[in-house]
Amino acid sequence: MSRSRRRLVAQSQLPAQRLSRRHLAGRPTCGLGRRGVRMDISGEVGFMLPLAVLMSLVLLLGSLSVQGVALQRHMSDSISLKSRTKEDALASSAQVVAGALQLSGNCLIKKDYRKWDDEKCYVTKSPYLTGSISGGTYQVIDYKYSQNDSDTQSSSADLTLSWNPGSNSKDTLKTFTLSIDSSVDPPRLLGVTP
Amino acid sequence: MNLLEPLTAGVIFFIALLASVQIDAYITKFSEDPNRSQQFLSAAHADAAMLISQEVPSSLSQPLTSPFPIADCSSAAIALAQKINEASVPSDVTRSATVLGSLVVVEVEASNLAPRQRTLSPAAYGLCSS
């Protein structure tokens, strides 16, 4: 092909290429250029909605979990305030029973509260094994005596009590440890610890 | 269609952000409630006052530091009540120890809280023998 003919062909193709580019940019209906534009746009928009939903969920779940922790703490605080009434009632019951045990000293070293039933051990009488205190009723559930040290004659006993505030409520159990000096006769109670 | 999707995403995220901020504001307001803080401070002081009261008979059971044991439990209860009333308490708490037969009833009252009551037996600490 001669040089002048090649120039003629090039000039005749130029407007068609321009038209084609303009056509692709404005109305992307066919060709490689159209496909490239659609992929970019759909890629950008396609991840925005799921990302927004995901971030919203993370935000809301985070806030709700913090609120849950705060409410749980508040609930446990309220429960601990209410449980003080039970603790006070049980501690008072333990004092009454332990005081009676000290006064009839030979009860202290009996292994089982079921064997307390003798003349010297009046803890078996009302209101010691069961009685009413702080608007509820308490009951001796168990008593376990144990010799801790045979040389120093120190011993202890676990006293388990239940307390019921009444009106179909559940019993609350608590075990108290009694420190006993068994080197003296009758044995002497040194203290009650929850 | 292209504009609708980011707009929807923005609206969803904005609503979630608003809800989250409101929840956080509620938690902050709830946690910083002065009445609630005061109530738990009072409860702690009441606990302390009750523990101090219980420590008194334990310390008196040491033979070297007290006139105990006393033979009569009613007299021991009177002496114990006196010792408990002498013991210090936190400023926002009132405490009274009264004698009920051979027992001592300790009542602790703190502001914004129901009064608490515990019974102490001098015999339970070996402070009397009959």
Side-chain angles (χ1 to χ4, degrees):
Chain A
M1 193 184 287
S2 68
R3 190 178 290 174
S4 59
R5 181 159 172 78
R6 266 189 233 139
R7 197 178 295 140
L8 268 174
V9 170
Q11 280 173 356
S12 66
Q13 282 179 347
L14 201 62
Q17 283 173 356
R18 277 180 191 158
L19 182 67
S20 173
R21 278 184 199 140
R22 213 180 294 142
H23 175 77
L24 288 172
R27 289 171 56 194
T29 53
C30 62
L32 283 171
R34 178 184 65 97
R35 250 180 270 139
V37 170
R38 181 184 277 177
M39 275 176 75
D40 281 346
I41 290 173
S42 67
E44 193 184 336
V45 173
F47 77 84
M48 277 186 82
L49 194 56
L51 187 71
V53 171
L54 192 73
M55 282 174 71
S56 304
L57 276 174
V58 168
L59 258 177
L60 284 173
L61 285 175
S63 296
L64 285 173
S65 69
V66 171
Q67 195 190 26
V69 168
L71 283 174
Q72 201 177 10
R73 207 179 63 182
H74 175 66
M75 290 271 283
S76 67
D77 287 344
S78 305
I79 289 166
S80 76
L81 280 174
K82 281 181 188 171
S83 71
R84 283 185 175 91
T85 310
K86 290 178 187 174
E87 279 180 27
D88 288 344
L90 279 161
S92 300
S93 310
Q95 291 282 319
V96 172
V97 176
L101 280 166
Q102 163 66 21
L103 297 178
S104 51
N106 66 330
C107 293
L108 283 172
I109 55 171
K110 290 285 171 83
K111 287 184 179 177
D112 192 335
Y113 77 101
R114 291 176 193 88
K115 294 176 186 170
W116 284 350
D117 192 14
D118 61 46
E119 285 179 7
K120 288 180 183 174
C121 180
Y122 62 82
V123 179
T124 51
K125 295 173 188 168
S126 179
Y128 302 118
L129 277 183
T130 52
S132 50
I133 207 155
S134 303
T137 52
Y138 73 86
Q139 190 178 1
V140 176
I141 300 295
D142 199 12
Y143 181 82
K144 280 177 187 164
Y145 173 81
S146 57
Q147 186 84 32
N148 290 346
D149 191 340
S150 57
D151 294 335
T152 58
Q153 297 284 300
S154 73
S155 50
S156 65
D158 289 333
L159 173 69
T160 306
L161 298 170
S162 75
W163 184 74
N164 191 310
S167 62
N168 299 324
S169 302
K170 284 182 180 176
D171 285 4
T172 308
L173 289 177
K174 190 159 186 176
T175 300
F176 296 86
T177 303
L178 313 184
S179 311
I180 301 164
D181 177 11
S182 50
S183 63
V184 291
D185 189 33
R188 185 170 165 245
L189 197 56
L190 299 173
V192 185
T193 48
Chain B
M1 183 69 180
N2 292 340
L3 191 63
L4 192 67
E5 203 161 357
L7 269 176
T8 314
V11 167
I12 288 171
F13 186 71
F14 181 72
I15 290 168
L17 193 71
L18 213 65
S20 175
V21 165
Q22 277 190 333
I23 290 169
D24 286 347
Y26 173 74
I27 294 165
T28 311
K29 192 182 167 187
F30 181 75
S31 311
E32 290 173 359
D33 183 7
N35 290 333
R36 196 167 157 269
S37 306
Q38 183 59 41
Q39 197 181 16
F40 286 109
L41 190 67
S42 300
H45 285 168
D47 278 346
M50 201 57 99
L51 282 172
I52 292 166
S53 307
Q54 280 193 296
E55 278 302 307
V56 172
S58 298
S59 63
L60 292 173
S61 64
Q62 302 298 319
L64 292 173
T65 58
S66 74
F68 296 97
I70 298 171
D72 178 33
C73 282
S74 301
S75 305
I78 293 166
L80 177 61
Q82 196 181 344
K83 292 279 183 190
I84 290 170
N85 284 325
E86 283 169 8
S88 62
V89 281
S91 56
D92 58 341
V93 172
T94 54
R95 182 196 52 203
S96 64
T98 50
V99 177
L100 188 73
S102 58
L103 301 169
V104 177
V105 179
V106 179
E107 194 168 304
V108 171
E109 229 171 312
S111 52
N112 302 325
L113 285 176
R116 289 178 58 187
Q117 208 176 61
R118 272 197 193 195
T119 305
L120 296 176
S121 168
Y125 295 90
L127 301 178
C128 62
S129 52
S130 63

